[in-house]
Amino acid sequence: MTAGAESILNAKIPEGSIQDKWKNHKAGIKLVAPANKRKYTVIVVGTGLAGGAAAASLGELGYNVLNFCIQDSPRRAHSVAAQGGINAAKNYQNDGDSVWRLFYDTVKGGDFRSREANVYRLAEVSANIIDQCVAAGVPFAREYGGTLANRSFGGAQVSRTFYARGQTGQQLLLGCYSALMRQVDEGRVKLYTRREMLDVVLVDGRARGITVRNLVTGEIESYAADAVCLATGGYSTVFFLSTNAVNSNATAAWRCYKKGAFFANPCYTQIHPTCLPQMGETQSKLTLMSESLRNDGRVWVPKKKGDDRPPHQIPEKERDYYLERKYPAFGNLVPRDIASRAAKAMCDDGFGVGPTGYAVYLDFGDAIKRLGKDMIRDRYGNLFAMYHEITDDDPYQTPMKIYPAPHYTMGGLWVDYNLMSTIQGLYVLGEANFSDHGANRLGASALMQGLADGYFVIPATIGDFLAEHRPDGLTTDHDAFRASRNEVDDAVKKLLSIKGNKTVRQYWWEVGRIMWNQVGMGRNEKGLQQAISDIKGLREDYWKNVKVGGSAEDLNKSLEFAGRVADFLELGELMARDALGREESCGGHFREEHQTPEGEALRHDDTFCHVAAWEFKGAGKDPVMHKESLEFENVHLAQRSYK
């Protein structure tokens, strides 16, 4: 592992006070005249909140937009699964919230490992996001008088989270989808469904298009553009079991990494504290129970180890509400990384509940007594129904059983202030980039970032690049596109030719278990070194013994997943390398050798106050790590405390 020169990474952060950076930057960047926008083509990969908002906004501005997704409809993008809410600093509750406080909570929640300028911009545009979504018809919850309702989320002492029961992601995506389809109808956006991006095409070092596989026909297709926007989500399915959809994957971002886009902070992955426990090895995913439930649900375990009595038989004095005990200032609303580690610690010490002993209770008994069953149903009814359907337990009558699970990835492709990667003309939006959340994402901030990037940031910043690059009529007949198609076709044929004896799913499960056991909630030097060795061995075996049935000329799910698992077998090693080199604990990265006497994360700011951005150097070669120093001019670096 070699540290490269810091000068390689230019974040292009504007001058001036943090309150004025975004305003001044927008005032000074280059523009593309309305009549000229029609001459440019922009590719947007992804139709979730970041991708859908970007495609709709760029189409509205007048650009020709080509929009791609792997699903059969943009409405199936994984943003639909977000439950609890979206943050915005509107201070409707008059409880002391402000843009500055949202900025501070986000930087602190990320354990001081995010870029100040990007986070402040996110907080600054948050209020506009809510207005945009209301105008698009999103049915946010409202108070009796008609004003929009707010609730609290982890890591904050104010109520700033707007929500639509437990369906916030779905409702926001439908609003975004409406805006997108309007542009499709106007002819400014062309929508390509059931396509998987397998390569980014570079011409003279600049992103000029993509190569995709038509998932229905198997055809390898090329598309040219003047710029490419990647909004393909995160990579937590590298753990196999996660809260993400099985179709969620890292392939598009990973292929960009292998073409020169630096990958930043890959070890920063979030374990969500409020998920259904794993119940068997045949599961394909884990189910998320929204963090919003921690507003009214109280987390507890029995005070006696191995106490297997039904929860209603355990009296109040024999219950340990451990989050309220350890973190009285925030109680059950501590950030996700802290809540997750606390649950793991209680279960590891023998206080867990349920058939496996790896679960804790989330109890709504007190809230139902205080507010009434009807109020709880209004707030969380669909979540309670989902829990009941999956477990056959009624959370109105008995506490939920929850346990942490892989959820969100704060790491992603490195981007500058304009959201451009280290490849000229390749922009990265939403969860696919690294920019806003540091080492831990606060709840209800993912939807905020996705819509901020898509609706407000990229429409402003992409013009600054395009204004310097006039349309040149490039087509997919260019040699670079032919070479990319051949490269993709060769990779597909190689997978089909192996004819081994182990299924793709077996390998995915194996790499996922290595990642969860060694690169999950708790990490240490020995385990990370073992993970790197094990993944290398598994990857070597994969290319000898994987069995991929079917053909390349039709719908072939086994082939789809084979390419993705091949990428996981490379990405997993990079995640372990990054975690091994970062000899500190911060947020979602918890090194067991680096913790306070109380068991909290212990940062080493003198050595690791930087972004680790990894450069691909070729197959079989070690990647090179470059550093972007993080300067904190507005927030005082301090050990996090939620007590």
Side-chain angles (χ1 to χ4, degrees):
M1 178 165 47
T2 306
E6 296 186 20
S7 59
I8 290 177
L9 297 173
N10 180 4
K12 299 181 180 177
I13 299 172
E15 298 293 331
S17 70
I18 197 165
Q19 293 90 345
D20 295 329
K21 287 183 186 296
W22 179 232
K23 178 180 64 178
N24 293 343
H25 187 58
K26 287 193 296 181
I29 59 180
K30 298 179 180 65
L31 301 175
V32 177
N36 287 335
K37 287 187 174 76
R38 295 191 293 271
K39 302 174 184 177
Y40 289 95
T41 297
V42 179
I43 285 174
V44 178
V45 186
T47 58
L49 291 182
S57 299
L58 294 173
E60 181 75 33
L61 285 172
Y63 294 106
N64 296 304
V65 180
L66 310 181
N67 194 195
F68 297 81
C69 68
I70 62 173
Q71 301 89 356
D72 58 355
S73 167
R75 292 175 297 175
R76 294 187 184 274
H78 194 59
S79 298
V80 74
Q83 297 170 345
I86 176 171
N87 288 331
K90 278 190 171 287
N91 195 31
Y92 281 172
Q93 310 301 111
N94 196 31
D95 57 1
D97 199 14
S98 63
V99 168
W100 182 267
R101 193 175 294 274
L102 176 53
F103 157 69
Y104 177 80
D105 286 348
T106 304
V107 172
K108 177 184 176 183
D111 218 348
F112 304 94
R113 289 294 179 261
S114 51
R115 192 189 285 155
E116 275 193 341
N118 288 64
V119 177
Y120 192 88
R121 176 175 64 187
L122 178 65
E124 186 179 353
V125 304
S126 65
N128 294 334
I129 294 171
I130 302 304
D131 296 339
Q132 169 81 16
C133 294
V134 170
V138 176
F140 286 120
R142 294 180 180 267
E143 303 290 359
Y144 179 78
T147 56
L148 297 181
N150 289 136
R151 58 189 177 199
S152 300
F153 253 66
Q157 291 181 307
V158 297
S159 295
R160 63 163 68 101
T161 304
F162 296 78
Y163 63 96
R165 298 184 76 184
Q167 306 170 342
T168 312
Q170 179 183 18
Q171 298 303 326
L172 289 171
L173 188 63
L174 287 172
C176 183
Y177 172 75
S178 299
L180 173 62
M181 296 311 292
R182 177 174 178 268
Q183 296 307 311
V184 171
D185 186 63
E186 293 286 340
R188 289 189 283 263
V189 175
K190 292 182 180 179
L191 186 62
Y192 297 88
T193 62
R194 305 298 292 272
R195 264 80 168 185
E196 181 171 26
M197 176 182 160
L198 297 178
D199 196 18
V200 60
V201 180
L202 307 187
V203 177
D204 298 328
R206 175 180 156 202
R208 295 303 309 271
I210 62 174
T211 301
V212 305
R213 181 173 180 270
N214 185 316
L215 297 180
V216 177
T217 67
E219 184 178 357
I220 306 300
E221 304 170 348
S222 296
Y223 298 88
D226 298 287
V228 176
C229 297
L230 199 70
T232 52
Y235 49 90
S236 69
T237 43
V238 70
F239 293 95
F240 185 81
L241 287 177
S242 78
T243 65
N244 280 212
V246 174
N247 236 10
S248 299
N249 65 87
T251 287
W254 190 249
R255 304 297 171 87
C256 292
Y257 162 72
K258 296 179 77 170
K259 284 297 180 71
F262 289 7
F263 208 115
N265 299 335
C267 78
Y268 286 165
T269 58
Q270 182 171 79
I271 313 297
H272 197 292
T274 316
C275 305
L276 298 191
Q278 180 185 344
M279 298 306 293
E281 295 193 356
T282 58
Q283 288 179 241
S284 60
K285 72 179 298 293
L286 296 170
T287 302
L288 174 68
M289 289 284 106
S290 170
E291 181 177 312
S292 64
L293 294 169
R294 290 198 280 146
N295 272 286
D296 292 304
R298 301 179 69 192
V299 179
W300 65 275
V301 293
K303 289 183 177 179
K304 179 182 176 182
K305 290 185 179 182
D307 190 340
D308 59 0
R309 288 177 293 173
H312 68 274
Q313 293 182 9
I314 301 176
E316 192 74 13
K317 64 181 180 180
E318 296 180 31
R319 301 180 179 187
D320 181 9
Y321 295 92
Y322 59 88
L323 291 178
E324 298 172 31
R325 170 173 56 83
K326 295 176 67 176
Y327 308 101
F330 283 73
N332 295 294
L333 288 175
V334 292
R336 291 174 174 178
D337 60 317
I338 292 175
S340 293
R341 284 198 300 275
K344 180 180 185 292
M346 298 307 294
C347 294
D348 287 347
D349 290 342
F351 296 97
V353 301
T356 66
Y358 277 87
V360 299
Y361 287 128
L362 183 61
D363 195 337
F364 293 86
D366 287 351
I368 290 172
K369 290 178 183 176
R370 184 178 73 255
L371 301 170
K373 187 175 179 179
D374 289 343
M375 177 65 75
I376 297 300
R377 182 181 290 109
D378 285 345
R379 293 179 178 178
Y380 314 111
N382 65 304
L383 296 172
F384 277 41
M386 182 168 66
Y387 182 89
H388 187 202
E389 183 176 349
I390 294 171
T391 67
D392 201 29
D393 281 341
D394 182 358
Y396 294 105
Q397 302 295 328
T398 187
M400 290 183 178
K401 289 189 281 289
I402 59 169
Y403 191 70
H407 177 57
Y408 188 90
T409 51
M410 288 76 66
L413 295 183
W414 185 91
V415 292
D416 63 17
Y417 190 74
N418 290 329
L419 303 185
M420 189 188 291
S421 73
T422 49
I423 295 176
Q424 288 291 297
L426 176 65
Y427 291 84
V428 190
L429 286 61
E431 191 179 357
N433 74 32
F434 88 101
S435 68
D436 292 355
H437 306 298
N440 174 62
R441 177 177 67 79
L442 292 183
S445 289
L447 305 183
M448 176 174 62
Q449 186 209 352
L451 291 176
D453 288 356
Y455 277 141
F456 296 101
V457 180
I458 199 65
T461 61
I462 199 170
D464 189 52
F465 173 78
L466 293 176
E468 294 187 344
H469 297 84
R470 292 183 178 180
D472 56 10
L474 182 77
T475 71
T476 56
D477 291 330
H478 190 281
D479 287 346
F481 286 91
R482 283 196 291 269
S484 177
R485 287 194 297 271
N486 290 336
E487 183 181 333
V488 168
D489 190 50
D490 289 345
V492 169
K493 289 176 179 176
K494 182 178 180 180
L495 284 167
L496 289 168
S497 70
I498 298 172
K499 307 296 184 184
N501 54 22
K502 289 177 65 176
T503 67
V504 174
R505 192 179 190 279
Q506 285 176 281
Y507 282 103
W508 191 3
W509 173 262
E510 289 181 36
V511 70
R513 290 310 87 199
I514 294 170
M515 295 300 296
W516 177 246
N517 292 331
Q518 311 294 358
V519 201
M521 275 192 282
R523 305 163 179 179
N524 57 63
E525 182 179 0
K526 181 180 178 181
L528 291 167
Q529 289 174 338
Q530 186 65 50
I532 293 170
S533 175
D534 289 347
I535 291 171
K536 285 181 176 179
L538 189 62
R539 185 168 65 242
E540 183 178 341
D541 186 70
Y542 183 82
W543 289 106
K544 294 177 181 177
N545 294 313
V546 71
K547 180 179 181 179
V548 183
S551 73
E553 285 72 42
D554 55 13
L555 181 65
N556 187 341
K557 297 300 291 185
S558 180
L559 178 59
E560 286 177 41
F561 286 114
R564 297 168 192 172
V565 172
D567 293 333
F568 287 151
L569 286 165
E570 296 175 349
L571 170 60
E573 181 183 339
L574 185 66
M575 292 169 65
R577 280 180 177 271
D578 190 42
L580 179 63
R582 188 171 284 276
E583 295 185 21
E584 66 167 350
S585 290
C586 55
H589 169 61
F590 189 75
R591 284 286 292 269
E592 293 167 358
E593 309 98 317
H594 302 281
Q595 53 183 307
T596 68
E598 296 80 23
E600 303 295 344
L602 180 61
R603 297 195 321 271
H604 300 307
D605 295 331
D606 54 338
T607 307
F608 294 102
C609 195
H610 63 251
V611 176
W614 293 85
E615 179 186 8
F616 180 71
K617 301 301 287 186
K621 298 180 181 180
D622 289 347
V624 171
M625 190 264 281
H626 304 272
K627 297 178 182 178
E628 178 199 339
S629 295
L630 293 171
E631 305 294 335
F632 290 92
E633 301 174 352
N634 301 277
V635 173
H636 175 65
L637 282 168
Q639 189 67 30
R640 279 197 306 170
S641 175
Y642 292 92
K643 297 183 177 182

